[in-house]
Amino acid sequence: MCGIFGCATSGSKAAEIIHGALKRLEYRGYDSVGEATIFEGKIYIKKDQGKIDDVHSLLNLDDLPGSLGIGHTRWATHGAPSKINAHPHTDCGEKIAVVHNGIIDNFDELKAELENLGHTFKSKTDTEVIPHLIEENLRHGLPFIEAVKEALKRLDGSYALAIISTLEPDKIICARKESPLIIGIGEEAMYCASDIPALLPLTNKIISLDDGEVAVIWSRGYEIRRLNDWAIVAREPEIITWTVEMAEKQGYPHFMLKEIHEQPLALRNTLRLQDLYLDLIATFLDRAKNVFLVACGSSYNACLAASYMFSKLACISAYPVVASEFIEQFGSAVNIDSAVLAVSQSGETADTLMSVDYARNRAATILGLTNVVGSTLTRVSRVYILQQSGPEIGVAATKTFTAQLLVLAQIALRVAKLRGKLSSQEIKGLEKELKSIPDIVEKTIKMNVEKASQIAKKYRDSRFFVFVGRGINTATALEGRLKLLEIAYVPSLAFPAGESKHGPISLIEPGVPVIFICPRDKTRKAIIGNIMEMKARGASIISVIEEGDEEIKRLSDDYFEVGRTVSEIFSPIVFIIPLQLFAYYMAVEKGLDPDKPRNLAKSVTVK
Ligand code: F6R
């Protein structure tokens, strides 16, 4: 998740405006920053790795000439944070500069094609193919805007783009596919930006671009067209009444709610990870004699779910281990034949890093899954994957948890392929379903916002909750419980339903709410039996069911419905959604700030 901005003014100094806007977008990414302006037929660029203030004190970002320019604040996806990889990126002739938020899926093949045609690449980014593609089209005699249009048609993946060129020095071309992009209409100036906070002090008049739209802006006007047929789009501007703080949360009252809603996008991004790294991790896991999945908190819950995925798909026993216990529990069993897959959103969790350090010293292979570029975990891993969820500001993990699950599912599938454990038809079916998960999650969020708020109102004074699941959804129960207790401070218990009669059922008395995770899989019959047991003792049954599951609906006092998933492997990604929302609304009902639960920090860097 990066932030882009562009402004075309009629005489004001663009660089200062861009700098101010990037500061307001810094929450979208902060590993590098850059600006490009046009002045007297030349492109001027300043960029470097680091936070905006640090780069500014080194380079003076305001010191670029010209009244039109673009800027970027980066959250690295392809290519480590560095000066060369920082945006804007240019073509060979430095006539075109581009800033980009998103991921170009087919950049490898485009880059190879362009290199064969004589283009020289400076960076390791996917973005750099864009200015070179445009340059190539110019070489074939296309006018600039046409050259951009044809280049856009070659891009697979997601993008919000702002493009400038000395060939059309008064214009910025903006384009959107899946990544957000808005146009701002000012007095004697036009802007484009990833997000509303960038625009607020400049204008409150905005137009949101839709997927597949291209806008050309100049200081006194704009034109929006559809990329596929170049038809003009007429759209009325909206007037925004948000404050900057509200805008950072995109109008949501809390970051947690915003991040819950960002899950479809975050999940789509995890379907665009580079095959090379997924395959490498799968290869190391396949070769290892023993596999440990090491993490804390929500990341541990993701690992627990992943252990079912690895077993069911690839017939591997992968041990999920709470990082603070890893050395005591499995330390002596770790050796050169072990692979440790460490999962950490922040990449900085002390217990996880301590386990990794220990395992490294015993010659184990360290593999990492994290959300933060340049984090310690990326430096100590033999191979790592960046899950591409963008910054998560709410303390409770939401979008990063579901993204971890989707990455882990992809890895498990690849190990299964390597080991020949699934037929090609099964693999095809699972891959198809994988791609549908972001849409199912999107639908599930819509289905549950109102419902979660209502159910939270009803149960706001309950002093104790129980979460129960079976199979892979034991992990969902644990994660639902963690969300509720950490942000709404409600003591809760979660366990595999089969454990009920071995102790916890003694806590059930009339009115205790018990939340059951009920997918339509092999566990269903047994879960219905567990519901009956709890009902017989007077528990209030809240079920999470697949849409249309009338039988369990009838057994429940309240229920959440989720979109249908075919395979149980992916079900936690969908079933956790109502529980995230429920925890959120329980915190709100109790007047608590879900973004900042007491005693907790986003990144636990002490043991
Ligand atoms: C719960 C939560 C924490 C983290 C845990 C590990 O909502 O956010 O339990 O999951 O502190 O953090 P990372 O994944 O950064 O290692």
Side-chain angles (χ1 to χ4, degrees), residues 266-273 387-389 403 406-407 410:
L267 291 168
R268 282 182 193 112
N269 285 342
T270 66
L271 295 175
R272 304 210 158 94
L273 302 178
Q387 59 182 80
Q388 312 291 9
S389 310
L406 199 55
V407 177
Q410 291 178 75

Side-chain angles (χ1 to χ4, degrees), residues 22 70 124 167 175 195 199 206 260 316 368 384 454 505 542:
L22 293 181
I70 53 179
K124 296 257 182 299
L167 300 170
D195 215 342
L199 296 181
I206 68 137
I260 289 174
I316 282 193
Y384 65 86
Q454 281 163 11
I505 201 164
I542 306 173

Side-chain angles (χ1 to χ4, degrees), residues 296-299 343-347 349 352 395-397 404 479 482-483 486 602 604:
C296 301
S298 293
S299 298
V343 178
S344 171
Q345 183 284 128
S346 61
T349 297
T352 308
V395 163
Q404 283 169 346
E479 178 63 6
L482 179 58
K483 292 301 88 145
E486 71 179 329
K602 187 70 190 158
V604 184

